[in-house]
Amino acid sequence: MAGYGYGEPYGSGGGYPPPAQPYGSPFAALTPSSFPPGTDPNLVACFQLADQDGSGLVDDRELQRALSSYNQGFSLRTVRLLMYLFTHTNTRRIGPREFTGLFHCLQMWRGTFERFDRDRSGKIDGPELREALLSMGFAVPPVVVDLLVTKYDKYGDGSRAIEYDNFIECCLIVKGLTDKFKERDTMLSGSATFTYESFMLTVLPFLIA
């Protein structure tokens, strides 16, 4: 129901973050993974270069450096949110399968950002952000978009616009919280009931990333 911010952007494939898992410990161990068949050898090499100890996992700082090598520079907070959305844990480790999906997802989100950055300023304003999120399947209310822009406007110079790295963080938060809400809103009514514990487990990972 798009009216409540629901959507399935890009379908079930294409590297988009997997559906949120049932509630549990956000510090559960990460299940080992491998590269999907047909993964770009350059992407494999990038992961292996980042995985300096050969453990088959890269940590948050290693992932940050790996993404920077592909002109995808992000703060550690954004990197940790990416890791959480793809692993559903706060262990701050990511394996080959998750790394591949994360990389392709970022490519799609960059394409979306560039499509709505119509003046090529490197920024999008509130209405453009709402359009971009809507194109991804999230009908975010204007008041929430306004809060996001207020939070992520780096300069506070009156332009009320956000740059690419903060756009990615907005997407991560909207996607992650919407998925968690949908787990509880089984009738797609736009309403859900949470216990105190499940509410805290839903929100805190996005605050402590």
Side-chain angles (χ1 to χ4, degrees):
M1 297 180 64
Y4 294 116
Y6 292 169
E8 297 298 335
Y10 309 119
S12 59
Y16 203 76
Q21 300 301 306
Y23 290 96
S25 171
F27 297 98
L30 181 62
T31 304
S33 67
S34 58
F35 287 102
T39 300
D40 183 345
N42 291 324
L43 204 56
V44 175
C46 180
F47 180 89
Q48 291 173 340
L49 184 63
D51 179 20
Q52 296 182 355
D53 62 0
S55 66
L57 298 171
V58 298
D59 65 23
D60 48 358
R61 294 183 185 277
E62 290 170 335
L63 178 59
Q64 185 184 42
R65 288 193 295 270
L67 292 175
S68 293
S69 71
Y70 276 88
N71 196 30
Q72 297 266 17
F74 301 110
S75 69
L76 266 180
R77 170 176 163 77
T78 302
V79 168
R80 289 166 180 168
L81 281 171
L82 277 165
M83 298 176 92
Y84 176 71
L85 196 63
F86 275 84
T87 66
H88 305 295
T89 78
N90 269 323
T91 55
R92 296 179 181 172
R93 298 286 188 277
I94 195 165
R97 178 174 57 83
E98 297 83 14
F99 178 82
T100 304
L102 181 154
F103 182 83
H104 290 308
C105 179
L106 285 175
Q107 286 184 313
M108 291 187 289
W109 276 343
R110 180 182 282 280
T112 298
F113 180 86
E114 291 176 349
R115 180 153 54 97
F116 288 95
D117 177 21
R118 298 185 178 98
D119 61 0
R120 297 297 179 262
S121 65
K123 301 178 182 179
I124 59 175
D125 61 19
E128 290 169 335
L129 175 60
R130 188 164 192 264
E131 285 186 71
L133 292 170
L134 187 60
S135 77
M136 297 160 65
F138 303 109
V140 181
V143 65
V144 176
V145 172
D146 189 61
L147 286 172
L148 290 170
V149 173
T150 299
K151 165 68 175 175
Y152 292 111
D153 177 5
K154 288 182 179 179
Y155 305 106
D157 57 3
S159 63
R160 295 192 55 74
I162 61 174
E163 296 181 348
Y164 171 69
D165 54 346
N166 284 335
F167 169 75
I168 294 299
E169 191 164 323
C170 286
C171 291
L172 292 170
I173 290 172
V174 170
K175 164 68 176 170
L177 289 177
T178 299
D179 277 355
K180 288 296 187 180
F181 186 86
K182 287 171 66 177
E183 290 177 19
R184 295 286 167 151
D185 183 15
T186 56
M187 301 299 292
L188 301 181
S189 65
S191 299
T193 300
F194 289 78
T195 65
Y196 179 68
E197 179 182 3
S198 64
F199 172 77
M200 296 296 279
L201 287 172
T202 295
V203 174
L204 280 178
F206 294 93
L207 299 179
I208 64 176

